[in-house]
Amino acid sequence: MILAANANAQGSHVGEWRHPTAWDKPASNLENAIRLARIAEAGRFDLLFLADGNGVRNLDKPDLFAATSPSDRPGVFEPVTLLSALAMVTEHVGLVATTTTTYDEPFSVARRFASLDHISKGRAGWNLVTTSNPGDALNFSHEEHVPRDDRYERAGEFAQIVKGLWDSWADDAFPQDKASGRFLDPSKVHALNFRGKHFQVAGPLNAPRPPQGHPVIFSAGQSETGKELSAATADCVFAIEGTIERAQTLYADLKGRLPKYGRSADSLKILSGVTIIAAETEEEAEQLARELDDLVPPAVGLDYLSKMVGVKMSAYPLDGPFPALDFEHVGPTGIGKAIVAKALEQKLTVRETYRAILPQMAGNFFKGSAAQVADLMERWFLEKACDGFMIAAPVVPTGLERFIKLVVPELQRRGLFRTEYSGRTLRDNLGLARPENRFFAQAGRAAE
Ligand SMILES: Cc1cc2nc3c(=O)[nH]c(=O)nc-3n(C[C@H](O)[C@H](O)[C@H](O)COP(=O)(O)O)c2cc1C
């Protein structure tokens, strides 16, 4: 089972940063990040994962803005910069950062992640996103967000170029031989000369081939085009399905797309996003969940719900029934529709609805004793709903510490999780092969 730690300074719960056991002063705090990385590595986690965006959200929702939802990101590090620092204080844990294909350039991204892979000695990963927050466009000389189909078309070309650039040099292209005066072997470089619809990139990359060949690529799109891009390009998918049935359907769907690209089912790992509150007992977990919910005043909860469903919710009575919003016009995403459907189905009030989504943005949520949480994880894993989990643990860092103290030993006892790192690189630990260089069939031998 793969375990990834969502390593953003705030956990997924809107109120968690106010909890007495949460970090003090979490905004852009390097010492906290170092401590979290060490905690995850001591727990033998596969990787740290940093979601990211290029803009501050929700300036138009004053109560939520002041209290901050974890995805608003008003005070965070640029993720590759942070992971470069964390690479210096860790040895085994993988380091995965989010970078957009919509508002960045393939040469820059290939270079940044090649550098991170060298710095970390083969532990880098790139979470390829097409940008979820439309407002980010305004920071990149655009009037509005690029339409989704164009974003994905650009993303397909972008990924092809990045991989091509990572293959610029044979693995043994840099002898750096003082005696002969040969720094590099000119027969072992390949200039990409890519010309497509969105990009023209000459190459070669100004970095030796990364230790992993290609840093591990994550993606997360849930649309048809998003899933197809994952099947064509990604090594790992970050999925967010709220039920085991939906997760199983997505799992089979994604794995079923692989043969078309000449790939085996094992070559794409699916990690299910989950918020976990684990405690000594079920009652203790419930108590912590209540404490966290109580840290979110109604005005903040309403702004948060408004953000998630795309409708101003303060217009409705807090303790009245959730209104029958017009489904067609609800929410910027499928998440909004799912929240409305759940509220109507379960006849929730407005207050109950925002409390229901505080911990996990309508995604998956495991809560309980170590055995209860391990049972759920085991079931999802064995019944082919996922190959592992992307874990957000309120409260940061104590939620992750508690998970490692209570649940990890239980998973290890059941033979589901490693007790020691065995691989050298992130690819090794994830069970992913090192890609051949497409221009140099084997180290030292140029392709036809
Ligand atoms: C689980 C998950 C995590 C994501 N993480 C990010 C992120 O960190 N930053 C970002 O800009 N977009 C993120 N996205 C947005 C996707 O890259 C994509 O733009 C969005 O999901 C719309 O595409 P889709 O309709 O194919 O899902 C994420 C999406 C999902 C489903």
Side-chain angles (χ1 to χ4, degrees):
M1 180 186 292
I2 296 164
L3 294 184
N6 220 316
N8 294 88
Q10 279 178 264
S12 55
H13 192 291
V14 178
E16 73 88 23
W17 69 272
R18 299 181 63 200
H19 197 267
T21 63
W23 300 122
D24 284 327
K25 311 285 181 211
S28 296
N29 185 320
L30 179 62
E31 284 66 36
N32 286 356
I34 290 174
R35 210 178 122 202
L36 191 69
R38 288 185 166 143
I39 291 168
E41 187 162 90
R44 309 288 185 266
F45 267 57
D46 289 271
L47 59 103
L48 297 167
F49 181 93
L50 289 171
D52 193 53
N54 286 285
V56 176
R57 308 183 191 195
N58 291 319
L59 278 80
D60 62 336
K61 298 187 175 60
D63 291 297
L64 181 60
F65 186 61
T68 294
S69 120
S71 61
D72 292 349
R73 307 190 184 103
V76 295
F77 289 110
E78 188 288 311
V80 178
T81 311
L82 175 61
L83 293 183
S84 303
L86 299 185
M88 298 293 89
V89 294
T90 52
E91 270 179 60
H92 302 284
V93 73
L95 305 163
V96 181
T98 296
T99 296
T100 178
T101 52
T102 305
Y103 303 112
D104 212 321
E105 288 286 328
F107 190 92
S108 309
V109 169
R111 186 180 188 206
R112 215 177 296 149
F113 283 92
S115 292
L116 182 62
D117 209 42
H118 283 289
I119 288 170
S120 64
K121 300 189 166 48
R123 295 185 282 138
W126 167 34
N127 179 36
L128 180 170
V129 297
T130 59
T131 292
S132 55
N133 180 33
D136 289 10
L138 307 181
N139 295 329
F140 294 89
S141 312
H142 287 254
E143 300 280 327
E144 58 185 24
H145 201 12
V146 176
R148 186 167 70 194
D149 285 349
D150 292 354
R151 296 206 303 270
Y152 273 115
E153 193 182 73
R154 185 181 151 103
E157 250 184 46
F158 196 117
Q160 216 184 318
I161 298 165
V162 168
K163 289 185 178 188
L165 289 171
W166 283 335
D167 286 345
S168 292
W169 302 89
D171 286 308
D172 59 350
F174 289 85
Q176 302 170 77
D177 182 16
K178 284 183 175 171
S180 68
R182 278 165 76 86
F183 185 81
L184 57 82
D185 181 344
S187 71
K188 292 180 178 174
V189 62
H190 181 271
L192 192 62
N193 285 317
F194 183 94
R195 298 191 79 77
K197 182 169 165 196
H198 297 269
F199 301 103
Q200 288 83 48
V201 180
L205 192 64
N206 50 356
R209 193 157 193 257
Q212 295 184 98
H214 299 172
V216 175
I217 297 183
F218 276 67
S219 81
Q222 309 267 298
S223 62
E224 198 47 38
T225 34
K227 286 189 278 195
E228 211 49 39
L229 179 69
S230 297
T233 309
D235 300 298
C236 296
V237 166
F238 177 6
I240 37 159
E241 299 296 338
T243 66
I244 188 166
E245 293 77 22
R246 283 218 304 275
Q248 284 165 329
T249 304
L250 179 67
Y251 187 91
D253 177 358
L254 283 168
K255 300 256 178 180
R257 290 172 196 249
L258 298 174
K260 188 163 75 191
Y261 297 99
R263 301 181 61 183
S264 70
D266 262 4
S267 69
L268 181 71
K269 308 292 183 190
I270 298 171
L271 304 191
S272 194
V274 59
T275 297
I276 296 183
I277 297 186
E280 298 282 354
T281 63
E282 188 179 358
E283 294 69 42
E284 235 178 82
E286 294 290 349
Q287 168 66 22
L288 178 59
R290 266 196 308 278
E291 279 171 28
L292 294 175
D293 292 352
D294 289 343
L295 289 169
V296 181
V300 174
L302 284 174
D303 265 359
Y304 182 62
L305 185 58
S306 306
K307 166 187 156 174
M308 300 305 290
V309 300
V311 171
K312 200 164 188 303
M313 292 307 298
S314 53
Y316 300 94
L318 189 59
D319 292 310
F322 192 89
L325 299 172
D326 172 3
F327 258 68
E328 278 314 301
H329 299 100
V330 159
T333 63
I335 291 180
K337 292 192 173 80
I339 292 168
V340 175
K342 179 173 167 170
L344 295 177
E345 221 171 81
Q346 300 183 6
K347 299 194 178 6
L348 302 179
T349 64
V350 171
R351 189 198 300 267
E352 286 164 349
T353 309
Y354 85 64
R355 283 178 79 102
I357 61 167
L358 285 176
Q360 84 293 26
M361 295 201 194
N364 195 16
F365 186 28
F366 295 165
K367 175 175 57 173
S369 67
Q372 286 170 321
V373 170
D375 283 350
L376 286 164
M377 294 177 78
E378 179 168 14
R379 173 153 182 245
W380 278 58
F381 178 67
L382 294 181
E383 296 184 13
K384 294 193 185 317
C386 62
D387 298 307
F389 296 90
M390 181 76 75
I391 295 173
V395 179
V396 186
T398 43
L400 187 65
E401 285 174 320
R402 229 183 4 256
F403 176 84
I404 288 169
K405 181 170 158 234
L406 299 173
V407 184
V408 166
E410 185 65 33
L411 296 172
Q412 289 168 332
R413 248 192 310 279
R414 298 180 190 195
L416 292 168
F417 189 58
R418 70 169 67 81
T419 51
E420 283 304 330
Y421 288 105
S422 54
R424 197 177 51 83
T425 67
L426 176 57
R427 278 187 179 278
D428 292 342
N429 286 323
L430 294 174
L432 292 167
R434 184 177 191 271
E436 285 277 318
N437 189 321
R438 85 173 83 152
F439 306 118
F440 301 92
Q442 277 169 18
R445 194 153 54 83
E448 302 288 290

Coordinates of all heavy atoms in Angstrom, one line a residue, residues 145-196:
H145 N -9.6 32.6 -17.5 CA -9.0 31.2 -17.5 C -9.1 30.6 -18.9 O -10.1 30.8 -19.6 CB -9.8 30.4 -16.5 CG -9.1 29.2 -16.0 ND1 -7.7 29.0 -16.1 CD2 -9.5 28.1 -15.3 CE1 -7.4 27.8 -15.5 NE2 -8.5 27.3 -15.0
V146 N -8.0 29.9 -19.3 CA -8.0 29.2 -20.5 C -9.1 28.1 -20.5 O -9.2 27.4 -19.5 CB -6.6 28.6 -20.8 CG1 -6.6 27.7 -22.0 CG2 -5.6 29.6 -20.8
P147 N -10.0 28.0 -21.5 CA -11.0 26.9 -21.5 C -10.5 25.5 -21.3 O -9.3 25.3 -21.7 CB -11.7 27.1 -22.9 CG -11.3 28.4 -23.4 CD -10.0 28.7 -22.8
R148 N -11.3 24.7 -20.7 CA -10.8 23.4 -20.3 C -10.1 22.5 -21.4 O -9.1 22.0 -21.3 CB -11.8 22.5 -19.6 CG -11.2 21.3 -19.0 CD -12.0 20.5 -18.1 NE -13.2 20.0 -18.7 CZ -14.3 19.5 -18.1 NH1 -14.3 19.6 -16.8 NH2 -15.2 19.0 -18.8
D149 N -10.8 22.5 -22.6 CA -10.3 21.6 -23.7 C -8.9 22.1 -24.1 O -8.0 21.4 -24.4 CB -11.3 21.5 -24.8 CG -12.5 20.6 -24.5 OD1 -12.4 19.9 -23.4 OD2 -13.5 20.6 -25.2
D150 N -8.8 23.5 -24.2 CA -7.5 24.0 -24.6 C -6.5 23.7 -23.6 O -5.3 23.5 -23.9 CB -7.6 25.6 -24.8 CG -8.5 26.0 -25.9 OD1 -9.0 25.0 -26.7 OD2 -8.8 27.2 -26.1
R151 N -6.9 23.8 -22.3 CA -5.9 23.5 -21.2 C -5.4 22.1 -21.4 O -4.2 21.9 -21.2 CB -6.6 23.7 -19.8 CG -7.0 25.0 -19.5 CD -7.1 25.3 -18.0 NE -7.9 24.3 -17.2 CZ -9.1 24.5 -16.9 NH1 -9.8 25.6 -17.3 NH2 -9.8 23.6 -16.1
Y152 N -6.3 21.2 -21.6 CA -5.8 19.8 -21.7 C -5.0 19.5 -23.0 O -4.1 18.7 -23.0 CB -7.0 18.8 -21.6 CG -7.3 18.5 -20.2 CD1 -8.5 18.9 -19.5 CD2 -6.4 17.8 -19.4 CE1 -8.7 18.6 -18.2 CE2 -6.6 17.5 -18.1 CZ -7.7 17.9 -17.5 OH -8.0 17.6 -16.1
E153 N -5.4 20.2 -24.1 CA -4.6 20.0 -25.3 C -3.2 20.5 -25.1 O -2.2 19.9 -25.4 CB -5.3 20.8 -26.4 CG -4.7 20.5 -27.8 CD -5.4 21.4 -28.8 OE1 -5.1 22.6 -28.9 OE2 -6.3 20.9 -29.6
R154 N -3.1 21.7 -24.4 CA -1.8 22.3 -24.1 C -1.0 21.3 -23.1 O 0.2 21.1 -23.3 CB -2.0 23.6 -23.4 CG -0.8 24.4 -23.2 CD -1.2 25.8 -22.5 NE -0.1 26.2 -21.6 CZ 0.8 27.1 -21.9 NH1 0.7 27.8 -23.0 NH2 1.8 27.4 -21.1
A155 N -1.8 20.8 -22.2 CA -1.1 19.9 -21.2 C -0.5 18.6 -21.8 O 0.6 18.2 -21.5 CB -2.1 19.4 -20.1
G156 N -1.2 18.1 -22.8 CA -0.7 16.9 -23.6 C 0.6 17.2 -24.2 O 1.6 16.4 -24.1
E157 N 0.7 18.3 -24.9 CA 1.9 18.7 -25.6 C 3.0 19.0 -24.6 O 4.2 18.6 -24.8 CB 1.7 20.0 -26.4 CG 1.7 19.8 -27.9 CD 1.6 21.1 -28.7 OE1 2.2 22.1 -28.4 OE2 0.8 21.1 -29.6
F158 N 2.6 19.7 -23.5 CA 3.5 20.1 -22.5 C 4.2 18.9 -21.9 O 5.5 18.8 -21.8 CB 2.7 20.8 -21.4 CG 3.4 21.6 -20.4 CD1 3.2 23.0 -20.3 CD2 4.3 21.1 -19.5 CE1 3.9 23.8 -19.4 CE2 5.0 21.9 -18.6 CZ 4.8 23.2 -18.5
A159 N 3.5 17.9 -21.6 CA 4.0 16.7 -20.9 C 5.0 15.9 -21.9 O 6.0 15.4 -21.5 CB 2.9 15.7 -20.5
Q160 N 4.5 15.9 -23.1 CA 5.4 15.2 -24.2 C 6.8 15.9 -24.2 O 7.8 15.3 -24.3 CB 4.7 15.4 -25.5 CG 4.8 14.3 -26.5 CD 4.1 14.7 -27.8 OE1 3.0 15.3 -27.8 NE2 4.7 14.4 -28.9
I161 N 6.7 17.2 -24.2 CA 8.0 18.0 -24.3 C 8.8 17.8 -23.1 O 10.1 17.6 -23.1 CB 7.7 19.5 -24.5 CG1 6.9 19.8 -25.8 CG2 9.0 20.3 -24.5 CD1 6.3 21.1 -25.9
V162 N 8.2 17.9 -21.9 CA 9.0 17.7 -20.6 C 9.7 16.3 -20.6 O 10.9 16.2 -20.4 CB 8.1 17.8 -19.4 CG1 8.8 17.4 -18.2 CG2 7.6 19.3 -19.3
K163 N 9.0 15.3 -21.0 CA 9.6 14.0 -21.0 C 10.7 13.9 -22.1 O 11.8 13.3 -21.8 CB 8.5 12.9 -21.3 CG 7.6 12.7 -20.2 CD 6.6 11.5 -20.5 CE 5.7 11.2 -19.4 NZ 4.9 10.0 -19.5
G164 N 10.5 14.5 -23.2 CA 11.5 14.6 -24.3 C 12.7 15.3 -23.8 O 13.9 14.8 -24.0
L165 N 12.5 16.4 -23.1 CA 13.7 17.1 -22.6 C 14.5 16.4 -21.5 O 15.7 16.4 -21.4 CB 13.2 18.5 -22.0 CG 12.8 19.5 -23.0 CD1 12.1 20.7 -22.4 CD2 13.9 20.0 -23.9
W166 N 13.7 15.6 -20.7 CA 14.4 14.8 -19.7 C 15.3 13.7 -20.3 O 16.2 13.2 -19.7 CB 13.4 14.1 -18.7 CG 12.8 15.1 -17.7 CD1 13.4 16.2 -17.2 CD2 11.6 14.9 -17.0 NE1 12.6 16.8 -16.3 CE2 11.4 16.0 -16.1 CE3 10.5 14.0 -17.1 CZ2 10.3 16.2 -15.3 CZ3 9.4 14.1 -16.3 CH2 9.3 15.2 -15.4
D167 N 15.0 13.4 -21.6 CA 15.8 12.4 -22.3 C 16.8 13.1 -23.2 O 17.4 12.4 -24.1 CB 14.8 11.5 -23.2 CG 14.0 10.5 -22.4 OD1 14.4 10.3 -21.3 OD2 13.0 10.0 -23.0
S168 N 17.1 14.3 -23.0 CA 18.1 15.1 -23.8 C 19.5 14.4 -23.8 O 20.2 14.5 -24.8 CB 18.3 16.5 -23.3 OG 17.1 17.3 -23.5
W169 N 19.8 13.8 -22.7 CA 21.2 13.3 -22.5 C 21.1 11.8 -22.2 O 20.3 11.4 -21.4 CB 21.9 14.0 -21.4 CG 22.1 15.5 -21.6 CD1 21.2 16.4 -21.2 CD2 23.1 16.2 -22.3 NE1 21.6 17.7 -21.6 CE2 22.8 17.6 -22.2 CE3 24.3 15.8 -22.9 CZ2 23.6 18.5 -22.8 CZ3 25.1 16.8 -23.5 CH2 24.7 18.1 -23.4
A170 N 22.0 11.0 -22.8 CA 22.2 9.6 -22.4 C 22.6 9.7 -20.9 O 23.2 10.6 -20.4 CB 23.2 8.9 -23.2
D171 N 22.4 8.6 -20.2 CA 22.7 8.5 -18.8 C 24.2 8.7 -18.5 O 24.6 9.2 -17.5 CB 22.2 7.2 -18.1 CG 20.7 7.2 -18.0 OD1 20.2 8.1 -17.4 OD2 20.1 6.2 -18.4
D172 N 25.0 8.3 -19.5 CA 26.5 8.5 -19.3 C 27.1 9.6 -20.2 O 28.2 9.4 -20.7 CB 27.2 7.1 -19.5 CG 26.9 6.6 -21.0 OD1 26.0 7.2 -21.7 OD2 27.5 5.7 -21.4
A173 N 26.3 10.6 -20.4 CA 26.8 11.7 -21.3 C 27.8 12.6 -20.8 O 28.4 13.4 -21.5 CB 25.6 12.5 -21.8
F174 N 28.0 12.6 -19.5 CA 29.0 13.5 -18.8 C 30.1 12.8 -18.2 O 30.2 12.7 -16.9 CB 28.2 14.4 -17.8 CG 27.2 15.4 -18.4 CD1 26.0 15.0 -18.7 CD2 27.6 16.7 -18.6 CE1 25.1 15.9 -19.3 CE2 26.8 17.6 -19.2 CZ 25.5 17.2 -19.5
P175 N 31.2 12.4 -18.9 CA 32.3 11.7 -18.3 C 33.1 12.7 -17.4 O 33.7 12.2 -16.4 CB 33.2 11.3 -19.5 CG 32.7 12.0 -20.7 CD 31.3 12.4 -20.4
Q176 N 33.1 14.0 -17.7 CA 33.9 14.9 -16.8 C 35.3 14.5 -16.5 O 35.7 14.4 -15.3 CB 33.0 15.2 -15.6 CG 31.7 15.8 -15.9 CD 30.7 15.9 -14.7 OE1 30.9 16.8 -13.9 NE2 29.9 14.9 -14.5
D177 N 35.9 14.1 -17.6 CA 37.3 13.4 -17.4 C 38.4 14.5 -17.5 O 38.7 15.0 -18.6 CB 37.4 12.3 -18.5 CG 38.7 11.6 -18.4 OD1 39.4 11.7 -17.3 OD2 39.1 10.9 -19.4
K178 N 39.0 14.8 -16.4 CA 40.0 15.8 -16.4 C 41.2 15.5 -17.3 O 41.8 16.3 -18.0 CB 40.5 16.1 -15.0 CG 39.6 16.9 -14.1 CD 40.2 17.1 -12.7 CE 39.3 18.0 -11.9 NZ 39.7 18.1 -10.5
A179 N 41.5 14.2 -17.3 CA 42.7 13.7 -18.0 C 42.6 13.9 -19.5 O 43.5 14.5 -20.2 CB 43.0 12.3 -17.7
S180 N 41.4 13.5 -20.1 CA 41.2 13.7 -21.5 C 40.7 15.0 -21.9 O 40.7 15.4 -23.1 CB 40.3 12.6 -22.0 OG 39.0 12.8 -21.5
G181 N 40.2 15.8 -21.0 CA 39.6 17.1 -21.3 C 38.2 17.0 -21.8 O 37.7 18.0 -22.4
R182 N 37.6 15.8 -21.8 CA 36.2 15.7 -22.2 C 35.2 15.8 -21.1 O 35.1 14.9 -20.3 CB 36.0 14.3 -22.9 CG 36.5 14.3 -24.4 CD 36.6 12.9 -24.9 NE 35.3 12.3 -25.2 CZ 34.7 12.5 -26.4 NH1 35.2 13.2 -27.3 NH2 33.5 11.9 -26.6
F183 N 34.6 17.0 -21.1 CA 33.5 17.2 -20.0 C 32.3 16.4 -20.3 O 31.7 15.7 -19.5 CB 33.2 18.7 -20.0 CG 32.2 19.1 -18.9 CD1 32.7 19.3 -17.6 CD2 30.9 19.2 -19.2 CE1 31.8 19.6 -16.6 CE2 30.0 19.6 -18.2 CZ 30.4 19.8 -16.9
L184 N 31.9 16.4 -21.6 CA 30.7 15.6 -22.0 C 31.0 14.9 -23.4 O 32.0 15.2 -24.0 CB 29.5 16.5 -22.2 CG 29.6 17.7 -23.1 CD1 29.3 17.4 -24.6 CD2 28.6 18.8 -22.7
D185 N 30.2 14.0 -23.7 CA 30.3 13.2 -24.9 C 29.3 13.7 -25.9 O 28.1 13.5 -25.8 CB 30.1 11.7 -24.6 CG 30.2 10.9 -25.9 OD1 30.2 11.4 -27.0 OD2 30.3 9.6 -25.7
P186 N 29.7 14.5 -26.9 CA 28.8 15.1 -27.9 C 27.9 14.1 -28.6 O 26.9 14.5 -29.2 CB 29.7 15.9 -28.8 CG 31.1 15.9 -28.2 CD 31.1 14.7 -27.3
S187 N 28.3 12.9 -28.7 CA 27.4 11.9 -29.4 C 26.2 11.5 -28.5 O 25.4 10.7 -28.9 CB 28.2 10.6 -29.8 OG 28.5 9.9 -28.6
K188 N 26.2 12.0 -27.3 CA 25.2 11.5 -26.3 C 24.2 12.6 -25.9 O 23.6 12.6 -24.8 CB 25.8 10.9 -25.1 CG 26.5 9.6 -25.5 CD 27.2 8.9 -24.4 CE 27.8 7.6 -25.0 NZ 28.6 6.9 -24.0
V189 N 24.0 13.5 -26.8 CA 23.0 14.6 -26.6 C 22.0 14.6 -27.7 O 22.3 14.3 -28.9 CB 23.6 16.0 -26.4 CG1 24.4 16.4 -27.7 CG2 22.6 17.0 -26.1
H190 N 20.7 14.8 -27.4 CA 19.7 14.9 -28.4 C 18.9 16.2 -28.3 O 18.3 16.4 -27.2 CB 18.7 13.7 -28.3 CG 17.6 13.7 -29.3 ND1 16.4 14.3 -29.1 CD2 17.6 13.1 -30.5 CE1 15.7 14.2 -30.2 NE2 16.4 13.5 -31.1
A191 N 18.8 17.0 -29.3 CA 18.0 18.2 -29.3 C 16.6 17.8 -29.8 O 16.4 17.2 -30.8 CB 18.6 19.3 -30.2
L192 N 15.6 18.2 -29.0 CA 14.3 17.8 -29.2 C 13.7 18.4 -30.5 O 13.0 17.7 -31.2 CB 13.4 18.2 -28.0 CG 12.0 17.6 -27.9 CD1 12.1 16.1 -27.7 CD2 11.3 18.2 -26.6
N193 N 13.9 19.7 -30.7 CA 13.3 20.4 -31.9 C 11.8 20.1 -32.0 O 11.3 19.7 -33.0 CB 14.0 20.0 -33.1 CG 15.4 20.7 -33.2 OD1 15.5 21.9 -32.9 ND2 16.4 19.9 -33.5
F194 N 11.1 20.3 -30.9 CA 9.6 20.1 -30.9 C 8.9 21.3 -31.5 O 9.2 22.5 -31.2 CB 9.2 19.9 -29.5 CG 7.7 19.6 -29.4 CD1 7.2 18.3 -29.4 CD2 6.7 20.6 -29.4 CE1 5.9 18.0 -29.3 CE2 5.4 20.3 -29.3 CZ 4.9 19.0 -29.3
R195 N 8.0 21.0 -32.5 CA 7.2 22.1 -33.0 C 5.8 21.6 -33.0 O 5.4 20.7 -33.7 CB 7.6 22.5 -34.4 CG 9.0 23.0 -34.6 CD 9.3 23.6 -35.9 NE 8.7 24.9 -36.1 CZ 9.3 26.0 -35.5 NH1 10.4 25.9 -34.8 NH2 8.7 27.2 -35.7
G196 N 4.9 22.2 -32.1 CA 3.5 21.7 -32.1 C 2.6 22.9 -32.2 O 3.0 24.0 -32.7

